[in-house]
Amino acid sequence: RQLIASYMTLHMTISSFQKQLTTQITNFLARKTISDSSKQAYAYDLKQFVNCLPGRVDQTSLKLYENQLKEWKPSVQKRKRSAVNQFLLYLYQKGELEEFFKLSETAPLPSQQEELEIFDLSSLYEGQEGPGKLACLFILELGLLPSEILELKWEDIDLDFGVVTVAKGSTKRVLRLDGALKELLFGIKNDNSQGLILSKAFTRQWLYKQIQSYVGGCGLSGVTAQALRQQYILRQIEKGTGAFELARLLGLKSPVTLEKYYKT
């Protein structure tokens, strides 16, 4: 009887703890300006995390959760780690945790097959404005290369018509501009905006560092400029964009290098 009573007390304690964190998940998601589908994905990952906790948040319980993450694909692990780390930071800032805990951001390197999956990159739209965020959205929404971003001028962008003209050698391509990137450009443009989008000439190495710093701050360490361009390609294929049209959007001479994406 004593064993049964002890078990029931422990179960009630864990249950109460999980209910409390579930309420915090609701409050956490209410603060995020993301789509309903992204909120559902966050909620699913966070509730799964909470259900794995033995009534407390500490290094031991996080280690147990990380061991369970190994059962998932690297791309899924990355998404779950990002969601949990953002939630833990929220709890710490609210004073719900006396100590700041964080999951390791390292995960097994994905295989080529796993890299050709669409990732949840919604957190890239939520970070602080700056060259890192701007570059990430140019790649993710328009598929631009860092070298093309560095050469972009305000005169290449028509916010009224929602188009961007990208020059590459003697050729030019006109890309449709909308969504979060358009809103961001509207926010930073003023009557005096002229010359380069990034205000002055920078090196590609500088821009790569800006991208790396920004994605790291969004809990997506390991996501590179190349990975963002791949995500643009996969999203276009999911929309039904054909190989030749996608090659044109990317400024490629032929769709040969895109074959692996369409096969997958």
Side-chain angles (χ1 to χ4, degrees):
R1 291 181 179 178
Q2 289 180 341
L3 287 175
I4 294 175
S6 297
Y7 171 77
M8 291 181 64
T9 301
L10 177 61
H11 179 73
M12 290 178 63
T13 302
I14 294 175
S15 177
S16 176
F17 170 78
Q18 291 174 345
K19 286 181 180 179
Q20 181 182 355
L21 281 190
T22 299
T23 300
Q24 293 296 344
I25 290 174
T26 302
N27 297 337
F28 167 69
L29 293 178
R31 295 162 56 96
K32 299 182 75 66
T33 54
I34 54 178
S35 65
D36 289 339
S37 59
S38 293
K39 284 188 177 182
Q40 290 176 0
Y42 268 90
Y44 174 80
D45 289 338
L46 293 177
K47 287 179 181 178
Q48 188 181 60
F49 165 66
V50 168
N51 289 335
C52 292
L53 297 177
R56 63 186 181 279
V57 177
D58 57 19
Q59 294 293 354
T60 302
S61 60
L62 293 184
K63 188 65 177 178
L64 291 172
Y65 175 71
E66 285 195 317
N67 287 335
Q68 294 188 31
L69 281 180
K70 294 177 182 179
E71 300 176 4
W72 297 88
K73 294 180 179 180
S75 58
V76 178
Q77 286 190 44
K78 184 180 297 184
R79 186 195 74 207
K80 291 179 179 294
R81 289 172 187 274
S82 173
V84 170
N85 281 338
Q86 291 179 53
F87 182 54
L88 290 174
L89 177 60
Y90 167 77
L91 292 176
Y92 175 70
Q93 291 176 335
K94 277 199 66 180
E96 298 293 335
L97 294 176
E98 295 182 358
E99 183 179 350
F100 175 57
F101 296 100
K102 184 178 181 182
L103 292 177
S104 169
E105 295 181 352
T106 59
L109 292 175
S111 64
Q112 184 183 54
Q113 178 69 25
E114 289 166 339
E115 284 181 347
L116 303 184
E117 296 179 356
I118 294 180
F119 300 153
D120 177 12
L121 300 175
S122 56
S123 60
L124 292 181
Y125 292 85
E126 304 166 18
Q128 187 174 2
E129 292 182 6
K133 180 176 184 176
L134 186 61
C136 285
L137 296 193
F138 264 122
I139 300 172
L140 187 58
E141 293 198 3
L142 297 182
L144 298 191
L145 294 167
S147 57
E148 294 173 328
I149 298 172
L150 289 168
E151 295 175 3
L152 269 183
K153 300 176 182 177
W154 280 108
E155 64 187 42
D156 299 323
I157 297 177
D158 191 324
L159 292 176
D160 293 329
F161 286 94
V163 294
V164 177
T165 302
V166 182
K168 191 174 183 180
S170 58
T171 62
K172 291 184 178 181
R173 64 188 194 275
V174 179
L175 306 176
R176 185 67 185 171
L177 175 66
D178 53 23
L181 177 57
K182 184 178 180 180
E183 292 179 9
L184 178 58
L185 290 169
F186 260 122
I188 63 176
K189 182 177 174 59
N190 56 53
D191 294 335
N192 299 319
S193 293
Q194 56 184 343
L196 295 171
I197 291 291
L198 295 177
S199 72
K200 62 179 181 179
F202 291 102
T203 64
R204 276 184 291 181
Q205 185 177 6
W206 175 86
L207 188 57
Y208 282 126
K209 288 182 178 179
Q210 295 298 314
I211 294 173
Q212 183 180 19
S213 175
Y214 181 72
V215 297
C218 294
L220 297 168
S221 297
V223 174
T224 63
Q226 180 182 6
L228 291 175
R229 188 168 158 95
Q230 286 181 336
Q231 290 297 300
Y232 167 79
I233 292 171
L234 295 175
R235 282 162 167 73
Q236 286 296 319
I237 292 175
E238 188 178 48
K239 291 178 182 178
T241 305
F244 284 94
E245 172 61 12
L246 183 51
R248 183 194 71 79
L249 293 173
L250 292 168
L252 303 176
K253 293 182 179 179
S254 77
V256 174
T257 57
L258 300 175
E259 288 181 358
K260 65 177 182 180
Y261 299 100
Y262 282 91
K263 288 179 180 178
T264 303

